[in-house]
């Protein structure tokens, strides 16, 4: 990389560190460390929600998907407005009125201690895997662009995120997210513009080539539920986004960071509505790259779709723009990892330490637990990312398994909202049934070697979260109540 490109990256890192230092003076107690004490404006929280949605995986995977197939991933974005409307109407008022920082304390009030433990364990495991996955996939495309090795890049990215998260708490995370969201969006716009200049007949040529090969197709509109059709992707997107807005501690902390319920709702809408157009922008990059390499016979184009954008970046971007794109890729990954570290530390404090170890912990102890938990979680996530090197199959398997965890949590959350007379034993039975359905759909599709005796259902693995959630919700409402597990009285 050129000195000019490296300078841009260093400036980006310096700005994020400066934000963390400026935020540190407002992170002097546990509440401020986790929620910024309601000091932050709507636009910053909204950009943070958007940045949490996005990651280095989206930065690379969306162009790769459009390059190799079509625009079926945009269907995921079509479900966001409906999920955001549901969240704005029910989820945000629920969390703001509860006064709780944790997204899972109400599980115990409704269904007993087991429900809280189950939700916390699922969340921490999913965030641990998410952190490691993003750091690993962040380093892979950056290695050929920077000349640094994958382990070195993982260590640099992990250490830097841990540093600014420890210094400034959630306020630093949110302000950094806001900056990072602008950087990776601008980087994508400049990258798209650079690609379009490579067509001798103008940008229209790129679209004509892509349209002739049906690259703008949204997928199959048939009712085949065993394939990732339009309808399957739409249902999957709706339930995943309900999961994000409803039970993901990353988002719940954003609601708590707003000054009031109205501001929290506005932030939610801002973050939710920014994702669809930006996801279209990244899909468009993949589509015009397809047209570009179909028109230009370029040696060495990677066979793996996810490597095509980094390949183009390394060989075609002018001085300065490559540095901006590398900074954008860093930003996309760091924004998500920082949110996971801070939210997981918050869960460890409120749902583990204060609930089971020191319920009467003073402020100094609470803040110390938050910082230690952030450090330990970040270090372990970074170490796991290092262990993932050259283990692509295990990486993919872990990523797919997250729908199993989140599906069970989403069903239990919806049941807690829908049930006027919650029954702990009935909820436990419903959760077990839902997890069975999740596993039955997922295992034969994604991990057939783990259960070769299990018959494959005519359902795509995307539908695991859909049917698992619905089974938990319906079983929890319709099963006859039994008195065997007593919920904790609020």
């Amino acid at each position: 990389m050129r000195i000019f490109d490296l300078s841009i990256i260093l400036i980006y890192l310096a700005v994020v560190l400066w934000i963390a230092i400026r935020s540190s003076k407002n992170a002097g107690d546990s509440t401020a460390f986790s929620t910024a004490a309601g000091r932050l404006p709507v636009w910053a929280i909204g950009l943070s929600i958007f940045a949490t949605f996005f990651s280095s995986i989206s930065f690379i995977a969306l162009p790769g998907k459009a390059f190799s197939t079509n625009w079926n991933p945009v269907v995921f974005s079509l479900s966001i407005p409906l999920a955001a409307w549901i969240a704005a109407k029910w989820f945000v008022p629920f969390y703001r009125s509860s006064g709780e920082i944790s997204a899972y304390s109400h599980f115990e009030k409704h269904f007993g201690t087991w429900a809280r433990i189950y939700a916390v364990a699922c969340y921490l495991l999913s965030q641990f895997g998410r952190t490691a996955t993003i750091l690993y996939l962040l380093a892979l495309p950056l290695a050929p662009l920077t000349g640094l090795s994958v382990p070195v890049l993982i260590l640099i990215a992990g250490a830097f995120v841990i540093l600014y998260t420890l210094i400034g708490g959630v306020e630093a995370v949110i302000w950094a997210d806001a900056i990072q969201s602008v950087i990776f969006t601008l980087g994508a716009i400049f990258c798209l513009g650079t690609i379009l200049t490579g067509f001798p007949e103008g940008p229209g040529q790129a679209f004509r080539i892509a349209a002739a090969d049906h690259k703008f197709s949204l997928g199959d509109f048939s009712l085949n539920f065993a394939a990732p059709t339009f309808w399957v992707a739409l249902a999957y997107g709706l339930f995943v986004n309900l999961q994000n807005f409803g039970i993901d501690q990353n988002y719940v902390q954003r609601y708590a960071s707003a000054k009031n319920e109205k501001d929290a709702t506005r932030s939610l809408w801002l973050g939710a509505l920014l994702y669809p157009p930006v996801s279209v922008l990244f899909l468009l990059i993949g589509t015009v790259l397809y047209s570009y390499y179909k028109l230009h016979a370029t040696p060495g184009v990677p066979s793996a779709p996810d490597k095509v954008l980094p390949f183009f970046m390394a060989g075609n971007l002018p001085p300065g723009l490559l540095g901006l794109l590398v900074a954008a890729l860093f930003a996309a990954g760091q924004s998500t990892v920082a949110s996971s570290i801070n939210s997981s530390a918050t869960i460890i404090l409120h749902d583990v330490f204060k609930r089971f170890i020191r319920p009467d912990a003073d402020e100094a102890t609470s803040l110390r637990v938050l910082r230690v938990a952030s450090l330990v979680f970040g270090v372990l996530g970074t170490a796991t990312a290092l262990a993932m090197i050259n283990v692509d199959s295990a990486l993919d398997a872990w990523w797919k398994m997250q729908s199993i965890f989140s599906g069970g949590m989403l069903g239990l959350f919806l049941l807690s909202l829908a049930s006027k007379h919650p029954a702990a034993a009935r909820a436990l039975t419903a959760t077990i049934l839902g997890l069975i359905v999740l596993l039955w759909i997922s295992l034969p599709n994604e991990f057939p070697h783990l259960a070769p005796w299990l018959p494959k259902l005519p359902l795509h693995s995307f539908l695991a979260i859909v049917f698992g959630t619905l089974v938990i919700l319906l079983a929890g409402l319709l099963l006859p109540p039994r008195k065997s597990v007593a919920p904790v009285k609020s």
Side-chain angles (χ1 to χ4, degrees), residues 94-291:
F94 173 80
Y95 284 116
R96 291 292 306 195
S97 63
S98 71
E100 296 283 353
I101 296 177
S102 165
Y104 311 119
S105 58
H106 73 277
F107 279 35
E108 183 173 16
K109 296 176 183 177
H110 278 274
F111 305 122
T113 306
W114 71 268
R116 187 174 191 171
I117 294 173
Y118 163 74
V120 168
C122 287
Y123 180 77
L124 291 177
L125 285 173
S126 66
Q127 294 305 299
F128 185 67
R130 185 188 195 194
T131 297
T133 300
I134 290 172
L135 286 175
Y136 175 54
L137 294 184
L138 167 67
L140 283 181
L142 283 177
L145 295 175
T146 62
L148 299 175
S149 67
V150 170
V152 169
L153 285 166
I154 289 174
L155 289 172
I156 291 173
F160 186 74
V161 175
I162 293 170
L163 177 63
Y164 80 75
T165 305
L166 276 175
I167 292 173
V170 78
E171 183 169 336
V173 171
I174 289 175
W175 282 118
D177 282 354
I179 299 296
Q180 289 160 347
S181 67
V182 173
I183 290 174
F184 65 68
T185 302
L186 288 176
I189 293 172
F190 287 129
C191 183
L192 177 62
T194 302
I195 301 170
L196 290 174
T197 62
F199 292 88
E201 298 177 14
Q205 186 178 18
F207 298 102
R208 289 194 297 272
I209 294 172
D213 291 345
H214 309 288
K215 300 299 288 183
F216 294 107
S217 169
L218 298 183
D220 183 5
F221 280 81
S222 71
L223 296 179
N224 178 14
F225 297 122
T229 63
F230 176 91
W231 305 110
V232 168
L234 187 64
Y236 170 79
L238 176 61
F239 277 75
V240 167
N241 286 310
L242 286 176
Q243 162 213 309
N244 288 335
F245 296 141
I247 59 169
D248 192 323
Q249 179 67 21
N250 289 297
Y251 296 86
V252 173
Q253 275 182 242
R254 300 305 183 273
Y255 306 155
S257 299
K259 295 177 182 178
N260 49 52
E261 182 181 320
K262 186 177 181 180
D263 280 3
T265 302
R266 288 175 175 175
S267 300
L268 166 66
W269 275 114
L270 176 60
L273 295 182
L274 277 174
Y275 182 83
V278 176
S279 68
V280 167
L281 173 63
F282 278 86
L283 289 170
L284 192 57
I285 288 173
T287 300
V288 297
L289 276 175
Y290 169 84
S291 300

